[in-house]
Amino acid sequence: MTKTGIDAGQLESLEQDAQQCVAALLDIVSRTNNAAAYITALSAQNLEAYQMCVESTGDNVNKSVLAANKYIEKCREINEVFRGVEPLYERIQEIKKLLDIYEKLVAQALRQR
């Protein structure tokens, strides 16, 4: 025993326990630091992948919008072309009526001979 009444063996044991706790604590801190660094790097990679996906999606949406606009423009062009069809159809119907009348007149003329 020492002058203070503390057993030297107990003090040495206490010191060893404290050193083991410090070593264990340093190991925990080191592992936590390594895990945090790994998680941080993984998070950065995930954000890069997310950014690439967002950019790719944005590019695809832009391409789709452009294609849709071209489609709409072509539909408008076709619509303009077909606007001329209705008057043409009406004119053909008039010609058909006139041909029917002409055929009847010719048929009557041939019967009267």
Side-chain angles (χ1 to χ4, degrees):
M1 287 210 151
T2 62
K3 293 181 190 178
T4 59
I6 299 176
D7 183 16
Q10 288 178 337
L11 189 59
E12 192 175 303
S13 176
L14 181 64
E15 182 180 357
Q16 286 176 354
D17 284 347
Q19 286 177 352
Q20 288 174 352
C21 285
V22 167
L25 186 60
L26 286 174
D27 184 54
I28 290 171
V29 169
S30 174
R31 288 180 185 207
T32 302
N33 185 35
N34 290 341
Y38 178 78
I39 290 170
T40 301
L42 191 59
S43 295
Q45 289 174 354
N46 287 340
L47 285 175
E48 287 176 14
Y50 176 75
Q51 181 182 7
M52 288 172 39
C53 288
V54 168
E55 288 172 355
S56 175
T57 301
D59 291 344
N60 288 334
V61 167
N62 287 338
K63 288 176 185 176
S64 294
V65 168
L66 289 174
N69 285 337
K70 287 179 183 178
Y71 177 80
I72 290 169
E73 185 59 34
K74 289 299 177 185
C75 288
R76 287 181 179 154
E77 288 177 21
I78 289 172
N79 199 23
E80 286 296 317
V81 168
F82 279 114
R83 282 193 179 151
V85 170
E86 189 172 337
L88 186 59
Y89 171 77
E90 290 171 3
R91 183 67 184 133
I92 290 171
Q93 291 300 323
E94 290 174 18
I95 292 170
K96 186 177 175 185
K97 287 178 188 176
L98 290 173
L99 284 174
D100 288 343
I101 293 170
Y102 179 72
E103 284 179 7
K104 286 178 187 176
L105 289 174
V106 169
Q108 286 175 357
L110 289 175
R111 277 184 274 178
Q112 289 178 357
R113 274 191 187 181

